[in-house]
Amino acid sequence: MSDSVKIKNSIETVGKLVKTVIADIQARPDYSGSGQLKAMVSQLRTFSQHVLNNETNGTAQTYQELRAEALQRIVPEVHKLIDANIEMAGLGQLNTARKVQPSVLQSQNKTLQTLLNALEMMIALIGVPSSTSQSSGTGAHPSGTEAAGKPEPAIPSADVMAPAPPDQRFTGTVSFDGVMPFKEVEQSVSASLMSHQ
């Protein structure tokens, strides 16, 4: 498969995933009251239009513009949404104002992670034009922010919101001077409840 076919396929994949992410965000119960989510959807719609334009009429220059937009604007925003979802899901029952269930946030993060992977693939395939690689015929293109001398951003794994395995959870008690350990409080409350029955 030629590089141009791979690029077109990756752009097509990104286009489909962006539409899925937009629909997911708009389906959230907290969408109507969140200016941040609405701004992100607006930004993703604009990006989706640029993706669509490149699917049908892409040139080397428009591919580079799409690559830059994905790298500089879309990838960081998707990372922010993933982080916000993790934080919101982590609050659990402590967040009384929560409108979105953790399972919905986890599912959305899987979709966002898939989009990030597709964006990274597209960014890598488009690469950075280099006069030396083009003139020497090697065709080697550095990808991502590597070309700018920055390390590639870390992409969290798809299971970023999975609970810790049982052997890594804290199950002991903590005792401070003058403070009763939880186990003792639990036993005291249980005994008190039993005596009132």
Side-chain angles (χ1 to χ4, degrees), residues 18-19 22 43-56 66 69:
V18 167
K19 290 174 185 171
I22 289 171
Q43 190 174 18
L44 286 171
R45 278 192 183 133
T46 301
F47 181 69
S48 178
Q49 186 59 50
H50 296 163
V51 168
L52 184 60
N53 292 345
N54 275 283
E55 282 180 27
T56 55
L66 184 66
E69 182 178 7

Side-chain angles (χ1 to χ4, degrees), residues 67 71 120 123-125 127-128 141-148 150 152:
R67 179 188 181 281
L71 191 60
E120 291 294 330
I123 289 166
L125 287 172
V128 176
H141 296 292
S143 67
T145 52
E146 176 183 296
K150 300 176 190 169
E152 288 286 340

Side-chain angles (χ1 to χ4, degrees), residues 4 21 27 29 45 51 65 70 88 91 101 125 147 162 170 177 191:
S4 64
V21 167
R45 278 192 183 133
V51 168
E65 291 168 0
M88 187 183 299
L91 293 174
Q101 294 300 316
L125 287 172
F170 179 75
D177 290 337

Side-chain angles (χ1 to χ4, degrees), residues 13-112:
T13 300
V14 166
K16 290 175 185 174
L17 288 168
V18 167
K19 290 174 185 171
T20 301
V21 167
I22 289 171
D24 279 358
I25 293 171
Q26 289 177 323
R28 286 175 57 147
D30 60 342
Y31 175 74
S32 63
S34 174
Q36 290 176 329
L37 290 176
K38 288 180 180 180
M40 181 162 191
V41 165
S42 175
Q43 190 174 18
L44 286 171
R45 278 192 183 133
T46 301
F47 181 69
S48 178
Q49 186 59 50
H50 296 163
V51 168
L52 184 60
N53 292 345
N54 275 283
E55 282 180 27
T56 55
N57 301 319
T59 65
Q61 180 181 347
T62 60
Y63 287 165
Q64 288 302 318
E65 291 168 0
L66 184 66
R67 179 188 181 281
E69 182 178 7
L71 191 60
Q72 295 167 7
R73 291 185 26 206
I74 303 304
V75 169
E77 289 301 316
V78 172
H79 276 291
K80 284 181 193 175
L81 183 56
I82 287 173
D83 291 344
N85 285 350
I86 291 170
E87 184 178 335
M88 187 183 299
L91 293 174
Q93 294 179 0
L94 296 176
N95 185 358
T96 57
R98 180 184 68 209
K99 294 180 181 178
V100 184
Q101 294 300 316
S103 60
V104 172
L105 298 170
Q106 291 169 347
S107 175
Q108 186 176 62
N109 272 6
K110 287 180 182 177
T111 305
L112 291 169

